[in-house]
Amino acid sequence: MNEKTDCLFSLSSYKLQKAMNKYGILSLVLLSTIFFGYSQDTPLNKHGLLVIEDSRAYKKMVSKNPENKMMDLRKVIPNLIIDLKYGSTDNFMNKILYQQTNTSYLRKPAALALAKVQEQLLQKGLAIKIWDAYRPYSVTEKMWEPVKDERYAANPKYGSGHNRGIAVDLTLVDLITGFELNMGTGFDHFSDTAHITWKQLPTQILSNRLLLQQTMEAAGFIVLQTEWWHFYLPDARKYELMNLSFSQLKKITKGQQIK
């Protein structure tokens, strides 16, 4: 659920206050514009982070770089299996954290990279099953409270790759049997057993994990060392944090062409 590269993007409240003291209010506004490329109507949150909250801010974001638009994964990836754990009570918090939907979303680079993963796996009689992809920032805030361990949960002070639309939690499914491959633990299993470096597992489980990792890495993803299921694109700070709902994203991506 977390990756350390996210930390690099944050312009902290401390730095903003320091800039205010040194340069004054007008200079701070200019500084914020240089850093973020947005007008003053996009405020920073209590952690000094810019979080995209509405369609207008999203359009400004995409106008800066159309390649970073959000995409409906069902439109991009054939035979996609989706089981959004946080859209149900089947998660570590035992509560619904966002609305259930039959699809999910990622930035265009992540979505197209994941499509390559699926293409490779289909040739082996396998497919990906997505447990979580894009996740609103407000959900990350809720998930942090009961965990407060950056190995397993994203600190809202920095945000998550999920909030930026470049991280995905997934596993592999055998298309013939319909069953998930045995990875040794389930989703959100907060223990050393879920770590990539944990090798005290049967050979077949290690082989399954390695297949997932190698296929994802070949497409440009990086695995989170403490969670075998979590993969993200590098350079997280290139992508803004978002708190858009799935309803908002559904409207935004309606009629979207895959290019």
Short mmCIF file of all heavy atoms in Angstrom, two decimals, residues 15-64:
data_model
loop_
_atom_site.label_atom_id
_atom_site.label_comp_id
_atom_site.label_asym_id
_atom_site.label_seq_id
_atom_site.Cartn_x
_atom_site.Cartn_y
_atom_site.Cartn_z
N LYS A 15 8.37 23.70 4.94
CA LYS A 15 9.04 24.42 3.86
C LYS A 15 8.20 25.59 3.37
O LYS A 15 8.72 26.64 3.02
CB LYS A 15 9.35 23.46 2.71
CG LYS A 15 10.46 22.47 3.03
CD LYS A 15 10.76 21.59 1.86
CE LYS A 15 11.87 20.61 2.17
NZ LYS A 15 12.16 19.70 1.04
N LEU A 16 6.87 25.40 3.33
CA LEU A 16 6.00 26.49 2.92
C LEU A 16 6.07 27.64 3.91
O LEU A 16 6.10 28.81 3.53
CB LEU A 16 4.56 25.98 2.80
CG LEU A 16 4.28 25.09 1.60
CD1 LEU A 16 2.88 24.50 1.70
CD2 LEU A 16 4.44 25.85 0.31
N GLN A 17 6.07 27.32 5.21
CA GLN A 17 6.16 28.35 6.23
C GLN A 17 7.48 29.08 6.15
O GLN A 17 7.56 30.30 6.28
CB GLN A 17 6.00 27.71 7.62
CG GLN A 17 5.95 28.74 8.75
CD GLN A 17 4.74 29.66 8.63
OE1 GLN A 17 3.62 29.19 8.47
NE2 GLN A 17 4.99 30.96 8.70
N LYS A 18 8.56 28.34 5.92
CA LYS A 18 9.88 28.93 5.78
C LYS A 18 9.93 29.88 4.59
O LYS A 18 10.49 30.98 4.67
CB LYS A 18 10.93 27.83 5.62
CG LYS A 18 12.37 28.33 5.63
CD LYS A 18 13.33 27.16 5.60
CE LYS A 18 14.78 27.66 5.62
NZ LYS A 18 15.73 26.53 5.57
N ALA A 19 9.30 29.46 3.48
CA ALA A 19 9.26 30.31 2.30
C ALA A 19 8.44 31.56 2.56
O ALA A 19 8.78 32.66 2.10
CB ALA A 19 8.68 29.53 1.12
N MET A 20 7.35 31.41 3.31
CA MET A 20 6.50 32.55 3.64
C MET A 20 7.27 33.57 4.45
O MET A 20 7.21 34.78 4.21
CB MET A 20 5.26 32.09 4.40
CG MET A 20 4.29 33.21 4.73
SD MET A 20 2.87 32.63 5.70
CE MET A 20 2.08 31.58 4.51
N ASN A 21 8.02 33.10 5.45
CA ASN A 21 8.79 33.99 6.31
C ASN A 21 9.87 34.72 5.53
O ASN A 21 10.18 35.88 5.79
CB ASN A 21 9.44 33.20 7.46
CG ASN A 21 8.41 32.65 8.42
OD1 ASN A 21 7.29 33.15 8.50
ND2 ASN A 21 8.78 31.60 9.15
N LYS A 22 10.47 34.03 4.57
CA LYS A 22 11.60 34.60 3.84
C LYS A 22 11.17 35.52 2.71
O LYS A 22 11.74 36.58 2.49
CB LYS A 22 12.49 33.47 3.28
CG LYS A 22 13.76 33.98 2.61
CD LYS A 22 14.66 32.82 2.22
CE LYS A 22 15.94 33.31 1.57
NZ LYS A 22 16.83 32.20 1.18
N TYR A 23 10.12 35.12 1.98
CA TYR A 23 9.77 35.84 0.76
C TYR A 23 8.46 36.63 0.85
O TYR A 23 8.18 37.47 0.01
CB TYR A 23 9.67 34.86 -0.41
CG TYR A 23 10.95 34.13 -0.67
CD1 TYR A 23 11.07 32.77 -0.40
CD2 TYR A 23 12.07 34.80 -1.18
CE1 TYR A 23 12.24 32.09 -0.63
CE2 TYR A 23 13.25 34.11 -1.41
CZ TYR A 23 13.34 32.77 -1.14
OH TYR A 23 14.51 32.10 -1.36
N GLY A 24 7.64 36.32 1.84
CA GLY A 24 6.37 37.01 1.95
C GLY A 24 5.26 36.31 1.20
O GLY A 24 5.50 35.37 0.44
N ILE A 25 4.03 36.74 1.39
CA ILE A 25 2.85 36.08 0.83
C ILE A 25 2.87 36.07 -0.68
O ILE A 25 2.63 35.04 -1.32
CB ILE A 25 1.56 36.76 1.33
CG1 ILE A 25 1.47 36.67 2.85
CG2 ILE A 25 0.34 36.15 0.65
CD1 ILE A 25 1.29 35.27 3.36
N LEU A 26 3.15 37.21 -1.31
CA LEU A 26 3.08 37.28 -2.78
C LEU A 26 4.11 36.35 -3.41
O LEU A 26 3.82 35.66 -4.39
CB LEU A 26 3.31 38.72 -3.24
CG LEU A 26 2.21 39.72 -2.88
CD1 LEU A 26 2.60 41.13 -3.34
CD2 LEU A 26 0.89 39.31 -3.52
N SER A 27 5.30 36.31 -2.83
CA SER A 27 6.32 35.43 -3.38
C SER A 27 5.96 33.97 -3.17
O SER A 27 6.27 33.12 -3.99
CB SER A 27 7.67 35.72 -2.72
OG SER A 27 8.12 37.01 -3.06
N LEU A 28 5.27 33.68 -2.05
CA LEU A 28 4.87 32.30 -1.79
C LEU A 28 3.86 31.82 -2.82
O LEU A 28 3.90 30.69 -3.28
CB LEU A 28 4.28 32.19 -0.38
CG LEU A 28 3.80 30.79 0.03
CD1 LEU A 28 4.95 29.80 -0.05
CD2 LEU A 28 3.22 30.82 1.43
N VAL A 29 2.93 32.73 -3.20
CA VAL A 29 1.96 32.37 -4.23
C VAL A 29 2.69 32.05 -5.53
O VAL A 29 2.38 31.07 -6.22
CB VAL A 29 0.96 33.52 -4.46
CG1 VAL A 29 0.10 33.25 -5.69
CG2 VAL A 29 0.09 33.71 -3.23
N LEU A 30 3.68 32.85 -5.87
CA LEU A 30 4.46 32.60 -7.08
C LEU A 30 5.22 31.29 -6.96
O LEU A 30 5.26 30.49 -7.90
CB LEU A 30 5.45 33.75 -7.30
CG LEU A 30 6.40 33.61 -8.51
CD1 LEU A 30 5.59 33.50 -9.79
CD2 LEU A 30 7.34 34.79 -8.56
N LEU A 31 5.79 31.04 -5.78
CA LEU A 31 6.52 29.79 -5.56
C LEU A 31 5.61 28.59 -5.74
O LEU A 31 5.97 27.60 -6.38
CB LEU A 31 7.12 29.80 -4.15
CG LEU A 31 7.92 28.55 -3.74
CD1 LEU A 31 9.15 28.41 -4.62
CD2 LEU A 31 8.32 28.64 -2.27
N SER A 32 4.39 28.67 -5.19
CA SER A 32 3.43 27.56 -5.32
C SER A 32 3.07 27.33 -6.77
O SER A 32 2.93 26.20 -7.22
CB SER A 32 2.18 27.85 -4.50
OG SER A 32 2.49 27.96 -3.13
N THR A 33 2.92 28.41 -7.53
CA THR A 33 2.56 28.29 -8.95
C THR A 33 3.69 27.62 -9.72
O THR A 33 3.47 26.77 -10.58
CB THR A 33 2.27 29.68 -9.54
OG1 THR A 33 1.21 30.28 -8.80
CG2 THR A 33 1.86 29.57 -11.01
N ILE A 34 4.94 27.99 -9.40
CA ILE A 34 6.08 27.38 -10.08
C ILE A 34 6.14 25.89 -9.80
O ILE A 34 6.37 25.07 -10.68
CB ILE A 34 7.39 28.07 -9.63
CG1 ILE A 34 7.43 29.50 -10.16
CG2 ILE A 34 8.60 27.30 -10.12
CD1 ILE A 34 8.58 30.33 -9.62
N PHE A 35 5.91 25.53 -8.53
CA PHE A 35 6.01 24.12 -8.13
C PHE A 35 4.88 23.31 -8.72
O PHE A 35 5.07 22.19 -9.17
CB PHE A 35 5.97 24.00 -6.61
CG PHE A 35 7.33 23.93 -5.99
CD1 PHE A 35 7.96 25.08 -5.54
CD2 PHE A 35 7.99 22.72 -5.87
CE1 PHE A 35 9.21 25.01 -4.97
CE2 PHE A 35 9.25 22.65 -5.30
CZ PHE A 35 9.87 23.80 -4.85
N PHE A 36 3.68 23.85 -8.74
CA PHE A 36 2.52 23.02 -9.04
C PHE A 36 1.84 23.33 -10.37
O PHE A 36 1.13 22.49 -10.91
CB PHE A 36 1.49 23.15 -7.91
CG PHE A 36 2.03 22.77 -6.56
CD1 PHE A 36 2.02 23.67 -5.53
CD2 PHE A 36 2.55 21.51 -6.34
CE1 PHE A 36 2.52 23.32 -4.28
CE2 PHE A 36 3.04 21.15 -5.11
CZ PHE A 36 3.03 22.07 -4.07
N GLY A 37 2.05 24.53 -10.90
CA GLY A 37 1.43 24.86 -12.17
C GLY A 37 -0.08 25.04 -12.07
O GLY A 37 -0.78 24.88 -13.06
N TYR A 38 -0.57 25.35 -10.88
CA TYR A 38 -2.01 25.52 -10.69
C TYR A 38 -2.29 26.89 -10.11
O TYR A 38 -1.45 27.52 -9.49
CB TYR A 38 -2.57 24.45 -9.72
CG TYR A 38 -2.52 23.07 -10.30
CD1 TYR A 38 -1.42 22.26 -10.08
CD2 TYR A 38 -3.55 22.58 -11.09
CE1 TYR A 38 -1.35 20.99 -10.61
CE2 TYR A 38 -3.49 21.32 -11.64
CZ TYR A 38 -2.39 20.53 -11.40
OH TYR A 38 -2.32 19.28 -11.94
N SER A 39 -3.50 27.37 -10.28
CA SER A 39 -3.89 28.66 -9.75
C SER A 39 -4.18 28.55 -8.27
O SER A 39 -4.21 27.47 -7.69
CB SER A 39 -5.14 29.17 -10.49
OG SER A 39 -6.21 28.27 -10.29
N GLN A 40 -4.42 29.69 -7.63
CA GLN A 40 -4.61 29.74 -6.20
C GLN A 40 -5.89 29.04 -5.74
O GLN A 40 -6.06 28.83 -4.53
CB GLN A 40 -4.65 31.20 -5.74
CG GLN A 40 -3.33 31.94 -6.01
CD GLN A 40 -3.43 33.41 -5.68
OE1 GLN A 40 -3.90 33.79 -4.62
NE2 GLN A 40 -3.00 34.24 -6.60
N ASP A 41 -6.77 28.68 -6.65
CA ASP A 41 -8.02 28.04 -6.23
C ASP A 41 -7.83 26.54 -5.98
O ASP A 41 -8.79 25.82 -5.74
CB ASP A 41 -9.14 28.26 -7.26
CG ASP A 41 -8.79 27.72 -8.64
OD1 ASP A 41 -7.71 27.11 -8.79
OD2 ASP A 41 -9.60 27.91 -9.55
N THR A 42 -6.61 26.05 -6.03
CA THR A 42 -6.31 24.67 -5.65
C THR A 42 -5.46 24.71 -4.38
O THR A 42 -4.24 24.79 -4.44
CB THR A 42 -5.53 23.94 -6.76
OG1 THR A 42 -6.26 24.03 -7.99
CG2 THR A 42 -5.35 22.47 -6.41
N PRO A 43 -6.10 24.71 -3.22
CA PRO A 43 -5.36 24.87 -1.96
C PRO A 43 -4.56 23.63 -1.58
O PRO A 43 -4.87 22.51 -2.01
CB PRO A 43 -6.47 25.13 -0.94
CG PRO A 43 -7.65 24.39 -1.50
CD PRO A 43 -7.55 24.54 -3.00
N LEU A 44 -3.54 23.84 -0.77
CA LEU A 44 -2.78 22.73 -0.22
C LEU A 44 -3.52 22.19 1.00
O LEU A 44 -4.22 22.92 1.69
CB LEU A 44 -1.37 23.19 0.19
CG LEU A 44 -0.52 23.84 -0.91
CD1 LEU A 44 0.83 24.24 -0.34
CD2 LEU A 44 -0.35 22.91 -2.09
N ASN A 45 -3.36 20.90 1.27
CA ASN A 45 -4.03 20.33 2.43
C ASN A 45 -3.21 20.57 3.70
O ASN A 45 -2.18 21.26 3.67
CB ASN A 45 -4.35 18.85 2.22
CG ASN A 45 -3.12 17.96 2.26
OD1 ASN A 45 -1.99 18.41 2.48
ND2 ASN A 45 -3.32 16.67 2.05
N LYS A 46 -3.61 20.00 4.81
CA LYS A 46 -2.95 20.26 6.09
C LYS A 46 -1.52 19.76 6.14
O LYS A 46 -0.74 20.17 7.01
CB LYS A 46 -3.76 19.63 7.22
CG LYS A 46 -3.85 18.11 7.16
CD LYS A 46 -4.73 17.57 8.28
CE LYS A 46 -4.83 16.05 8.23
NZ LYS A 46 -5.70 15.52 9.33
N HIS A 47 -1.16 18.88 5.22
CA HIS A 47 0.21 18.37 5.16
C HIS A 47 1.05 19.14 4.14
O HIS A 47 2.20 18.77 3.87
CB HIS A 47 0.21 16.88 4.80
CG HIS A 47 -0.49 16.02 5.79
ND1 HIS A 47 -0.10 15.90 7.10
CD2 HIS A 47 -1.59 15.22 5.65
CE1 HIS A 47 -0.91 15.07 7.74
NE2 HIS A 47 -1.82 14.64 6.88
N GLY A 48 0.48 20.19 3.56
CA GLY A 48 1.20 20.94 2.54
C GLY A 48 1.24 20.25 1.19
O GLY A 48 2.13 20.52 0.38
N LEU A 49 0.27 19.36 0.93
CA LEU A 49 0.23 18.61 -0.32
C LEU A 49 -0.87 19.15 -1.24
O LEU A 49 -1.95 19.53 -0.79
CB LEU A 49 -0.07 17.14 -0.04
CG LEU A 49 0.95 16.37 0.81
CD1 LEU A 49 0.42 14.97 1.11
CD2 LEU A 49 2.29 16.28 0.12
N LEU A 50 -0.58 19.15 -2.51
CA LEU A 50 -1.59 19.46 -3.51
C LEU A 50 -2.35 18.19 -3.83
O LEU A 50 -1.75 17.18 -4.21
CB LEU A 50 -0.94 19.99 -4.78
CG LEU A 50 -1.91 20.29 -5.93
CD1 LEU A 50 -2.64 21.59 -5.66
CD2 LEU A 50 -1.17 20.37 -7.25
N VAL A 51 -3.67 18.20 -3.66
CA VAL A 51 -4.51 17.04 -3.94
C VAL A 51 -5.62 17.45 -4.89
O VAL A 51 -6.40 18.36 -4.59
CB VAL A 51 -5.11 16.46 -2.64
CG1 VAL A 51 -5.95 15.22 -2.95
CG2 VAL A 51 -4.02 16.11 -1.63
N ILE A 52 -5.70 16.79 -6.04
CA ILE A 52 -6.74 17.08 -7.03
C ILE A 52 -8.08 16.58 -6.52
O ILE A 52 -8.24 15.39 -6.27
CB ILE A 52 -6.40 16.42 -8.39
CG1 ILE A 52 -5.03 16.89 -8.90
CG2 ILE A 52 -7.49 16.70 -9.41
CD1 ILE A 52 -4.91 18.37 -9.10
N GLU A 53 -9.05 17.50 -6.37
CA GLU A 53 -10.33 17.15 -5.75
C GLU A 53 -11.51 17.17 -6.71
O GLU A 53 -12.55 16.59 -6.42
CB GLU A 53 -10.63 18.13 -4.60
CG GLU A 53 -9.63 18.11 -3.47
CD GLU A 53 -10.01 17.14 -2.37
OE1 GLU A 53 -11.05 16.47 -2.52
OE2 GLU A 53 -9.28 17.09 -1.37
N ASP A 54 -11.39 17.87 -7.84
CA ASP A 54 -12.56 18.03 -8.71
C ASP A 54 -12.17 17.97 -10.18
O ASP A 54 -10.98 17.96 -10.53
CB ASP A 54 -13.29 19.35 -8.42
CG ASP A 54 -12.37 20.56 -8.52
OD1 ASP A 54 -11.66 20.68 -9.53
OD2 ASP A 54 -12.37 21.39 -7.58
N SER A 55 -13.18 17.91 -11.03
CA SER A 55 -12.96 17.74 -12.47
C SER A 55 -12.20 18.91 -13.08
O SER A 55 -11.39 18.73 -14.00
CB SER A 55 -14.30 17.55 -13.19
OG SER A 55 -14.96 16.41 -12.72
N ARG A 56 -12.46 20.11 -12.58
CA ARG A 56 -11.77 21.28 -13.13
C ARG A 56 -10.27 21.20 -12.89
O ARG A 56 -9.47 21.42 -13.80
CB ARG A 56 -12.34 22.56 -12.50
CG ARG A 56 -11.70 23.83 -13.05
CD ARG A 56 -12.37 25.07 -12.51
NE ARG A 56 -12.29 25.13 -11.05
CZ ARG A 56 -12.73 26.16 -10.33
NH1 ARG A 56 -13.32 27.19 -10.93
NH2 ARG A 56 -12.62 26.15 -9.01
N ALA A 57 -9.90 20.83 -11.65
CA ALA A 57 -8.48 20.69 -11.34
C ALA A 57 -7.87 19.53 -12.13
O ALA A 57 -6.72 19.59 -12.55
CB ALA A 57 -8.30 20.48 -9.84
N TYR A 58 -8.66 18.47 -12.32
CA TYR A 58 -8.18 17.33 -13.10
C TYR A 58 -7.87 17.75 -14.54
O TYR A 58 -6.83 17.38 -15.10
CB TYR A 58 -9.22 16.21 -13.11
CG TYR A 58 -8.89 15.07 -14.06
CD1 TYR A 58 -8.05 14.04 -13.68
CD2 TYR A 58 -9.41 15.05 -15.36
CE1 TYR A 58 -7.73 13.02 -14.55
CE2 TYR A 58 -9.10 14.04 -16.24
CZ TYR A 58 -8.26 13.02 -15.83
OH TYR A 58 -7.95 12.02 -16.72
N LYS A 59 -8.76 18.55 -15.14
CA LYS A 59 -8.54 18.99 -16.52
C LYS A 59 -7.29 19.84 -16.63
O LYS A 59 -6.55 19.77 -17.62
CB LYS A 59 -9.77 19.74 -17.00
CG LYS A 59 -10.99 18.85 -17.22
CD LYS A 59 -12.21 19.65 -17.63
CE LYS A 59 -13.42 18.74 -17.81
NZ LYS A 59 -14.65 19.50 -18.16
N LYS A 60 -7.04 20.66 -15.62
CA LYS A 60 -5.81 21.46 -15.62
C LYS A 60 -4.59 20.54 -15.56
O LYS A 60 -3.59 20.78 -16.23
CB LYS A 60 -5.80 22.40 -14.42
CG LYS A 60 -6.79 23.56 -14.52
CD LYS A 60 -6.67 24.46 -13.30
CE LYS A 60 -7.65 25.62 -13.38
NZ LYS A 60 -7.56 26.51 -12.18
N MET A 61 -4.71 19.51 -14.73
CA MET A 61 -3.63 18.56 -14.58
C MET A 61 -3.32 17.88 -15.91
O MET A 61 -2.16 17.78 -16.33
CB MET A 61 -4.02 17.51 -13.53
CG MET A 61 -3.04 16.36 -13.37
SD MET A 61 -3.66 15.11 -12.20
CE MET A 61 -4.97 14.34 -13.20
N VAL A 62 -4.34 17.41 -16.59
CA VAL A 62 -4.16 16.70 -17.85
C VAL A 62 -3.69 17.63 -18.96
O VAL A 62 -2.94 17.22 -19.85
CB VAL A 62 -5.47 15.98 -18.26
CG1 VAL A 62 -5.34 15.35 -19.64
CG2 VAL A 62 -5.82 14.91 -17.24
N SER A 63 -4.11 18.90 -18.89
CA SER A 63 -3.67 19.86 -19.91
C SER A 63 -2.15 20.06 -19.87
O SER A 63 -1.52 20.36 -20.89
CB SER A 63 -4.38 21.20 -19.73
OG SER A 63 -3.95 21.85 -18.55
N LYS A 64 -1.57 19.88 -18.68
CA LYS A 64 -0.12 19.97 -18.54
C LYS A 64 0.57 18.81 -19.23
O LYS A 64 1.63 18.97 -19.83
CB LYS A 64 0.27 19.96 -17.05
CG LYS A 64 -0.09 21.20 -16.28
CD LYS A 64 0.14 21.00 -14.80
CE LYS A 64 1.53 20.52 -14.48
NZ LYS A 64 1.72 20.26 -13.04
#
